[in-house]
Coordinates of all heavy atoms in Angstrom, one line a residue:
S7 N -6.1 12.6 9.7 CA -4.8 12.8 8.9 C -5.1 13.4 7.6 O -6.3 13.5 7.1 CB -4.2 11.4 8.7 OG -5.0 10.6 7.8
T8 N -4.1 13.9 6.9 CA -4.2 14.5 5.6 C -4.9 13.6 4.6 O -5.8 14.0 3.9 CB -2.8 14.9 5.1 OG1 -2.2 15.8 6.0 CG2 -2.9 15.6 3.7
Q9 N -4.5 12.3 4.6 CA -5.1 11.4 3.6 C -6.6 11.3 3.9 O -7.4 11.3 2.9 CB -4.5 10.0 3.8 CG -3.1 9.9 3.2 CD -2.1 9.9 4.3 OE1 -2.3 10.3 5.5 NE2 -0.9 9.5 4.0
C10 N -7.0 11.1 5.1 CA -8.4 11.0 5.4 C -9.2 12.3 5.1 O -10.3 12.2 4.6 CB -8.7 10.6 6.9 SG -8.3 8.9 7.2
R11 N -8.6 13.4 5.4 CA -9.2 14.7 5.1 C -9.5 14.8 3.6 O -10.5 15.2 3.2 CB -8.4 15.8 5.6 CG -8.9 17.2 5.3 CD -10.1 17.7 6.1 NE -10.9 16.9 6.8 CZ -12.3 16.9 6.9 NH1 -12.9 17.9 6.3 NH2 -13.0 16.1 7.6
V12 N -8.5 14.5 2.8 CA -8.6 14.6 1.3 C -9.7 13.6 0.8 O -10.5 14.0 0.0 CB -7.3 14.2 0.6 CG1 -7.4 14.0 -0.8 CG2 -6.2 15.3 0.9
L13 N -9.7 12.4 1.4 CA -10.8 11.5 0.9 C -12.2 11.9 1.3 O -13.1 11.9 0.5 CB -10.5 10.1 1.5 CG -9.3 9.4 1.0 CD1 -8.9 8.2 1.9 CD2 -9.5 8.9 -0.5
I14 N -12.3 12.5 2.5 CA -13.6 13.0 3.0 C -14.0 14.2 2.1 O -15.2 14.2 1.7 CB -13.5 13.4 4.4 CG1 -13.4 12.1 5.3 CG2 -14.7 14.2 4.9 CD1 -13.0 12.4 6.7
D15 N -13.1 15.1 1.8 CA -13.4 16.2 1.0 C -13.8 15.8 -0.4 O -14.8 16.3 -1.0 CB -12.2 17.2 0.9 CG -12.0 17.9 2.2 OD1 -12.9 17.9 3.1 OD2 -10.9 18.5 2.4
C16 N -13.1 14.8 -1.0 CA -13.4 14.4 -2.4 C -14.8 13.7 -2.4 O -15.6 14.0 -3.3 CB -12.4 13.4 -2.9 SG -10.8 14.2 -3.3
K17 N -15.1 12.9 -1.4 CA -16.4 12.3 -1.3 C -17.5 13.3 -1.2 O -18.6 13.2 -1.9 CB -16.5 11.3 -0.2 CG -15.7 10.1 -0.4 CD -15.9 9.0 0.7 CE -15.6 9.5 2.1 NZ -15.7 8.4 3.1
A18 N -17.3 14.4 -0.4 CA -18.3 15.4 -0.3 C -18.5 16.2 -1.6 O -19.6 16.6 -1.9 CB -17.8 16.4 0.9
Q19 N -17.4 16.4 -2.3 CA -17.5 17.1 -3.6 C -18.4 16.3 -4.6 O -19.2 16.8 -5.3 CB -16.2 17.4 -4.2 CG -15.4 18.5 -3.4 CD -14.1 18.8 -3.9 OE1 -13.8 18.7 -5.1 NE2 -13.1 19.0 -3.0
I20 N -18.1 15.0 -4.6 CA -18.9 14.1 -5.5 C -20.4 14.1 -5.1 O -21.3 14.2 -5.9 CB -18.3 12.7 -5.5 CG1 -17.0 12.7 -6.2 CG2 -19.3 11.7 -6.1 CD1 -16.2 11.4 -6.2
E21 N -20.6 14.1 -3.8 CA -22.0 14.1 -3.3 C -22.7 15.4 -3.8 O -23.9 15.4 -4.2 CB -22.1 14.0 -1.8 CG -21.6 12.6 -1.3 CD -21.3 12.6 0.2 OE1 -21.5 13.6 0.9 OE2 -20.8 11.5 0.6
G22 N -22.0 16.5 -3.7 CA -22.5 17.8 -4.2 C -22.8 17.7 -5.7 O -23.9 18.2 -6.2
M23 N -21.9 17.1 -6.5 CA -22.1 17.0 -7.9 C -23.4 16.1 -8.2 O -24.1 16.4 -9.1 CB -20.9 16.4 -8.6 CG -19.7 17.4 -8.6 SD -18.3 16.9 -9.6 CE -17.9 15.3 -8.9
L24 N -23.5 15.1 -7.4 CA -24.7 14.2 -7.6 C -26.0 14.9 -7.4 O -26.9 14.8 -8.2 CB -24.6 13.0 -6.7 CG -23.5 11.9 -7.1 CD1 -23.3 10.9 -5.9 CD2 -23.9 11.2 -8.3
L25 N -26.0 15.7 -6.3 CA -27.2 16.5 -6.1 C -27.5 17.5 -7.2 O -28.7 17.6 -7.6 CB -27.1 17.2 -4.7 CG -27.1 16.4 -3.5 CD1 -26.8 17.2 -2.3 CD2 -28.5 15.7 -3.3
A26 N -26.5 18.1 -7.7 CA -26.7 19.1 -8.8 C -27.1 18.4 -10.1 O -28.0 18.9 -10.8 CB -25.4 19.9 -9.0
L27 N -26.5 17.3 -10.4 CA -26.8 16.6 -11.6 C -28.2 16.0 -11.6 O -28.7 15.7 -12.7 CB -25.8 15.5 -11.9 CG -24.4 16.0 -12.4 CD1 -23.4 14.9 -12.3 CD2 -24.5 16.6 -13.8
E28 N -28.8 15.8 -10.5 CA -30.2 15.3 -10.4 C -31.1 16.2 -11.2 O -32.2 15.8 -11.6 CB -30.6 15.1 -9.0 CG -30.1 13.8 -8.4 CD -30.6 13.6 -6.9 OE1 -31.4 14.4 -6.5 OE2 -30.1 12.6 -6.3
R29 N -30.8 17.5 -11.3 CA -31.6 18.5 -11.9 C -31.5 18.5 -13.4 O -32.1 19.3 -14.1 CB -31.4 19.8 -11.3 CG -31.8 19.9 -9.9 CD -31.5 21.3 -9.3 NE -30.3 21.2 -8.5 CZ -29.5 22.2 -8.2 NH1 -29.8 23.4 -8.6 NH2 -28.4 22.0 -7.6
I30 N -30.5 17.7 -13.9 CA -30.2 17.7 -15.4 C -30.7 16.5 -16.0 O -30.4 15.4 -15.6 CB -28.7 17.9 -15.6 CG1 -28.3 19.3 -15.1 CG2 -28.4 17.8 -17.1 CD1 -26.8 19.5 -15.2
D31 N -31.5 16.6 -17.1 CA -32.0 15.5 -17.8 C -30.9 14.7 -18.4 O -29.9 15.3 -18.8 CB -33.0 15.9 -18.9 CG -34.3 16.5 -18.3 OD1 -34.6 16.2 -17.2 OD2 -34.9 17.3 -19.1
N32 N -31.1 13.4 -18.5 CA -30.1 12.5 -19.2 C -28.7 12.5 -18.6 O -27.7 12.3 -19.3 CB -30.0 12.9 -20.7 CG -31.3 12.8 -21.4 OD1 -32.1 11.9 -21.2 ND2 -31.6 13.8 -22.2
S33 N -28.7 12.7 -17.3 CA -27.4 12.6 -16.6 C -27.2 11.3 -15.8 O -26.2 11.2 -15.1 CB -27.3 13.8 -15.6 OG -28.2 13.8 -14.6
R34 N -28.1 10.4 -15.9 CA -28.0 9.1 -15.2 C -26.7 8.4 -15.3 O -26.1 8.0 -14.4 CB -29.2 8.2 -15.6 CG -29.1 6.8 -15.0 CD -28.8 6.7 -13.5 NE -30.0 6.9 -12.7 CZ -29.8 7.1 -11.4 NH1 -28.7 7.0 -10.8 NH2 -30.9 7.3 -10.6
H35 N -26.2 8.3 -16.5 CA -24.9 7.6 -16.8 C -23.8 8.3 -16.0 O -22.9 7.6 -15.4 CB -24.6 7.6 -18.3 CG -23.4 6.8 -18.6 ND1 -23.2 5.5 -18.4 CD2 -22.2 7.3 -19.1 CE1 -22.0 5.1 -18.8 NE2 -21.4 6.2 -19.2
I36 N -23.7 9.6 -16.1 CA -22.7 10.4 -15.4 C -22.8 10.2 -13.9 O -21.8 9.9 -13.2 CB -22.7 11.9 -15.7 CG1 -22.4 12.0 -17.2 CG2 -21.8 12.7 -14.9 CD1 -22.7 13.4 -17.7
R37 N -24.1 10.2 -13.4 CA -24.3 10.0 -11.9 C -23.8 8.6 -11.5 O -23.3 8.4 -10.4 CB -25.7 10.3 -11.6 CG -26.0 11.8 -11.6 CD -27.4 12.1 -11.1 NE -28.3 11.8 -12.3 CZ -29.5 11.3 -12.1 NH1 -30.0 11.0 -11.0 NH2 -30.3 11.0 -13.2
D38 N -24.1 7.6 -12.3 CA -23.7 6.3 -12.0 C -22.2 6.2 -11.9 O -21.7 5.5 -11.0 CB -24.2 5.3 -13.1 CG -25.7 5.1 -13.0 OD1 -26.3 5.4 -12.0 OD2 -26.3 4.5 -14.0
Q39 N -21.5 6.8 -12.8 CA -20.0 6.8 -12.8 C -19.5 7.5 -11.5 O -18.6 7.1 -10.9 CB -19.5 7.5 -14.0 CG -19.7 6.7 -15.3 CD -19.1 7.4 -16.5 OE1 -18.8 8.5 -16.5 NE2 -19.1 6.7 -17.6
L40 N -20.1 8.6 -11.2 CA -19.7 9.3 -10.0 C -20.0 8.5 -8.7 O -19.2 8.5 -7.8 CB -20.5 10.7 -9.9 CG -20.0 11.8 -10.8 CD1 -20.9 13.0 -10.8 CD2 -18.6 12.2 -10.5
V41 N -21.1 7.8 -8.7 CA -21.4 6.9 -7.5 C -20.3 5.8 -7.5 O -19.8 5.5 -6.4 CB -22.8 6.2 -7.6 CG1 -22.9 5.1 -6.7 CG2 -23.8 7.3 -7.4
A42 N -19.8 5.3 -8.6 CA -18.8 4.3 -8.6 C -17.5 4.9 -8.1 O -16.8 4.2 -7.3 CB -18.6 3.7 -10.0
V43 N -17.1 6.1 -8.5 CA -15.9 6.7 -8.0 C -16.1 7.0 -6.5 O -15.1 6.7 -5.7 CB -15.6 8.0 -8.7 CG1 -14.5 8.8 -8.1 CG2 -15.3 7.7 -10.2
H44 N -17.2 7.4 -6.0 CA -17.5 7.7 -4.6 C -17.2 6.4 -3.8 O -16.6 6.4 -2.8 CB -18.9 8.2 -4.4 CG -19.2 8.6 -3.0 ND1 -19.5 7.7 -2.0 CD2 -19.2 9.9 -2.4 CE1 -19.7 8.4 -0.9 NE2 -19.5 9.7 -1.1
N45 N -17.8 5.2 -4.3 CA -17.6 4.0 -3.7 C -16.1 3.5 -3.6 O -15.7 3.0 -2.6 CB -18.4 2.9 -4.4 CG -19.9 3.1 -4.2 OD1 -20.3 3.7 -3.2 ND2 -20.7 2.5 -5.0
Q46 N -15.4 3.8 -4.7 CA -13.9 3.5 -4.6 C -13.2 4.4 -3.6 O -12.3 3.9 -2.9 CB -13.3 3.8 -6.0 CG -13.8 2.8 -7.1 CD -13.3 3.1 -8.5 OE1 -12.7 4.2 -8.7 NE2 -13.4 2.2 -9.4
L47 N -13.6 5.6 -3.5 CA -13.0 6.5 -2.5 C -13.3 6.0 -1.1 O -12.5 6.0 -0.2 CB -13.4 8.0 -2.7 CG -12.9 8.7 -3.9 CD1 -13.6 10.0 -4.1 CD2 -11.4 8.9 -3.7
E48 N -14.6 5.5 -0.9 CA -15.0 5.0 0.4 C -14.2 3.8 0.7 O -13.8 3.6 1.9 CB -16.5 4.7 0.4 CG -17.0 4.2 1.7 CD -16.8 5.1 2.9 OE1 -16.8 6.3 2.7 OE2 -16.6 4.6 4.0
G49 N -13.9 2.9 -0.3 CA -13.1 1.7 0.0 C -11.7 2.1 0.4 O -11.1 1.5 1.3
L50 N -11.1 3.1 -0.2 CA -9.8 3.6 0.1 C -9.8 4.1 1.5 O -8.9 3.9 2.3 CB -9.3 4.6 -0.9 CG -7.9 5.0 -0.8 CD1 -6.9 3.8 -0.9 CD2 -7.6 6.0 -2.0

Side-chain angles (χ1 to χ4, degrees):
S7 70
T8 302
Q9 289 101 341
C10 285
R11 176 76 343 221
V12 168
L13 290 167
I14 291 166
D15 290 345
C16 288
K17 290 188 302 184
Q19 289 176 38
I20 289 174
E21 291 162 9
M23 291 189 302
L24 288 167
L25 288 173
L27 285 169
E28 284 182 2
R29 294 179 261 159
I30 297 177
D31 293 338
N32 302 316
S33 67
R34 169 48 78 191
H35 181 66
I36 295 169
R37 287 183 282 144
D38 289 345
Q39 290 178 350
L40 287 171
V41 167
V43 171
H44 187 281
N45 290 339
Q46 290 174 350
L47 290 170
E48 181 59 32
L50 190 56

